[in-house]
Amino acid sequence: MAERTARNFISVATRFGDKTAIVADLQPTVVYALAAPSTPDDVVEEVTERASNGETFTAADIKAMKDEQRAL
């Protein structure tokens, strides 16, 4: 396993712990973006809530949400 992949897995485990159901239906790139230390908790909460209602996201969506949050 590549070091970067391992770091991504660690970030996901750290951010979501035993809440795997929250991220199970998201694309890996979306989960990695959400787990990044630079992702505000508000963005994570919004995405996980909306995803639980069936909405889908891309990594680009997460980046845009992070950029928008930073601009506030």
Side-chain angles (χ1 to χ4, degrees):
M1 174 183 304
E3 181 178 342
R4 183 175 183 152
T5 301
R7 288 183 191 273
N8 284 338
F9 288 164
I10 291 168
S11 293
V12 170
T14 300
R15 174 72 84 157
F16 296 104
D18 61 352
K19 301 174 187 171
T20 56
I22 292 172
V23 297
D25 294 328
L26 299 173
Q27 294 295 318
T29 55
V30 172
V31 176
Y32 298 153
L34 289 174
S38 62
T39 304
D41 291 338
D42 291 347
V43 171
V44 174
E45 291 171 19
E46 181 179 349
V47 170
T48 55
E49 183 177 324
R50 289 169 55 187
S52 70
N53 292 322
E55 193 167 342
T56 59
F57 294 89
T58 65
D61 294 332
I62 306 307
K63 182 183 181 323
M65 292 173 77
K66 289 168 62 171
D67 291 345
E68 184 178 304
Q69 183 77 19
R70 281 191 211 115
L72 295 179

